């Protein structure tokens, strides 16, 4: 029996400012197309003072969900009915999903990172972790690694206030002990580190030759070295690590997986990872 026609697409998208260069639409639309879903991903410029109205519009137009990017990831917490425990711990939401008439906040950044680790494969349980940075990406990764049972986390950050705040949250709200190191000069990695993550914005396009100030001769072949920078994915930081025999993980995998997790939250279907990965690879040349 034929189905009645429906001309109504389900809507998701991203709110941000600036937003024009955010490539998420490319991987999400490729995924909808591959699974023959009548869904649309809209890239929407929302100025900071308009977030309340935009969230109201989201409810009024029955969006299935939304991604939040700079500068809305923290501010959006005010407009949600519920926040997932890990997102509450991170203190930021990058994905909203609708459950009935309720808007639920999630954070898929750190989950995407954990999922990317499985491809190496590496189990974070008991691992000694060094995270460079204490911004949004570092918080999401730190919290998810701690919740996944990391053995110990050192946060290395230039601003001590931000770094100490993340360490305090990890020490008081997770079972993983954490320590803060102020990043004032070249950072020497402890020899027993298992996992090293650049979660700063150093190396992001257009500043593609920049690299974190670490003592590169302290990287060993026993370490797994990761970068959150998705564009370009093969950063000078990862190249230095490869030269010293370390296994590496780039930021493209994390970006694809955080999107794939959001896709599943919205549509209920498993995301076509390969399709999404290829779509983003084309964008980043
Ligand atoms: P934030 O602005 O919240 O944090 C930036 C961090 O980088 C801070 O810890 C900041 O230190 C540090 N930093 C920046 N420049 C320097 C420098 N020159 N020297 C030392 N430290 C520096 O940004 P986000 O955490 O949101 O994003 C960080 C990166 O992660 C971005 O490049 C983004 O593209 C990427 N990202 C990737 C994702 C993925 O899926 N692959 C997902 C989310 C983000 P301080 O606190 O001292 O200012």
């Amino acid at each position: 029996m034929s189905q009645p026609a429906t001309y109504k697409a389900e809507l998701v998208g991203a709110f941000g400012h600036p937003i024009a260069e955010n490539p998420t639409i490319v991987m999400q639309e490729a995924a909808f197309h591959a699974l023959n879903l009548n869904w649309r991903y809209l890239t929407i410029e929302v100025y900071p003072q308009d977030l309340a109205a935009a969230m109201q519009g989201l409810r009024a137009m029955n969006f299935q969900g939304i991604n939040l990017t700079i500068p809305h990831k923290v501010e959006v917490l005010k407009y949600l009915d519920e926040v997932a425990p890990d997102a509450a711990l991170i203190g930021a939401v990058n994905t909203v999903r609708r459950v009935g008439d309720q808007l639920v906040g999630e954070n898929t950044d750190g989950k995407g990172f954990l999922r990317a680790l499985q491809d190496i494969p590496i189990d974070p349980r008991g691992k000694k972790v060094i995270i460079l940075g204490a911004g949004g990406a570092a918080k999401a990764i730190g919290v998810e690694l701690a919740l996944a049972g990391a053995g110990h986390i050192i946060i290395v950050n230039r601003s001590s206030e931000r770094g100490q705040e993340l360490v305090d949250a990890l020490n008081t709200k997770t079972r993983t002990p954490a320590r803060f190191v102020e990043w004032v000069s070249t950072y020497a990695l402890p020899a027993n580190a298992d996992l090293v993550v650049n979660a700063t914005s150093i190396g992001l396009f257009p500043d593609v030759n920049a690299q974190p100030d670490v003592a590169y001769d302290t990287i060993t072949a026993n370490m797994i070295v990761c970068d959150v920078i998705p564009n370009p994915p093969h950063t000078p930081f990862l190249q230095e690590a490869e030269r010293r025999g370390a296994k590496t993980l780039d930021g493209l995998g994390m970006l694809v997986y955080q999107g794939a997790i959001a896709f599943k939250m919205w549509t209920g279907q498993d995301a076509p990872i390969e399709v999404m990965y290829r779509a983003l690879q084309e964008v980043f040349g």
Side-chain angles (χ1 to χ4, degrees):
M1 213 165 60
S2 65
Q3 296 284 321
T6 171
Y7 300 104
K8 185 186 84 70
E10 300 300 341
L11 299 178
V12 288
F15 290 164
H17 173 67
I19 191 79
E21 289 178 16
N22 187 308
T24 306
I25 181 174
V26 174
M27 69 170 170
Q28 295 293 0
E29 290 269 332
F32 296 147
H33 187 72
L35 269 58
N36 207 16
L37 293 173
N38 188 14
W39 284 56
R40 297 286 179 283
Y41 190 99
L42 305 176
T43 300
I44 303 172
E45 188 89 43
V46 174
Y47 296 102
Q49 65 273 22
D50 295 329
L51 183 63
M55 293 304 291
Q56 197 55 41
L58 187 81
R59 289 180 193 268
M61 288 185 277
N62 292 297
F63 270 56
Q64 294 294 342
I66 200 80
N67 285 139
L68 286 311
T69 183
I70 289 170
H72 303 310
K73 286 185 179 185
V74 176
E75 196 64 15
V76 73
L77 287 162
K78 288 183 194 161
Y79 307 109
L80 302 174
D81 302 299
E82 197 184 321
V83 178
D86 60 337
L89 199 45
I90 294 162
V93 159
N94 77 335
T95 301
V96 171
R97 61 188 171 90
R98 208 183 67 189
V99 183
D101 61 356
Q102 304 280 292
L103 296 183
V104 181
E106 303 272 359
N107 196 312
T108 66
D109 282 338
K111 290 191 179 87
F113 178 79
L114 285 191
R115 177 63 191 80
L117 283 183
Q118 285 176 19
D119 285 346
I120 293 185
I122 170 186
D123 180 346
R125 274 179 295 186
K127 296 290 185 292
K128 295 189 181 58
V129 180
I130 312 293
I131 299 179
L132 307 175
K139 277 188 201 155
I141 289 171
V143 165
E144 297 296 349
L145 280 171
L147 295 178
H152 187 259
I153 297 178
I154 296 178
I155 302 292
V156 183
N157 200 50
R158 190 176 55 176
S159 116
S160 50
E161 199 184 328
R162 250 173 150 184
Q164 192 60 57
E165 199 178 292
L166 174 53
V167 162
D168 290 346
L170 292 172
N171 279 331
T172 54
K173 295 183 181 145
T174 78
R175 291 186 184 156
T176 300
R179 186 163 67 81
F180 172 62
V181 173
E182 193 179 353
W183 202 353
V184 281
S185 57
T186 306
Y187 179 67
L189 297 163
N192 65 354
D194 300 305
L195 189 61
V196 181
V197 186
N198 172 37
T200 71
S201 42
I202 302 168
L204 186 67
F205 182 85
D207 210 1
V208 297
N209 294 320
Q211 54 191 87
D213 186 12
V214 301
Y216 285 94
D217 57 358
T218 58
I219 295 180
T220 70
N222 296 328
M223 296 176 184
I224 293 168
V225 177
C226 314
D227 206 325
V228 297
I229 301 294
N231 181 26
H234 198 222
T235 57
F237 179 65
L238 292 184
Q239 291 172 35
E240 295 272 11
E242 280 164 11
R243 274 197 281 281
R244 286 156 181 97
K247 279 191 188 159
T248 60
L249 177 69
D250 68 36
L252 198 53
M254 173 180 167
L255 187 61
V256 170
Y257 282 122
Q258 64 77 29
I261 293 165
F263 181 97
K264 171 105 192 205
M265 286 173 173
W266 292 330
T267 67
Q269 300 202 30
D270 286 333
I273 304 290
E274 275 304 313
V275 169
M276 296 171 84
Y277 198 88
R278 272 201 307 274
L280 271 189
Q281 258 177 334
E282 276 178 33
V283 169
F284 294 144

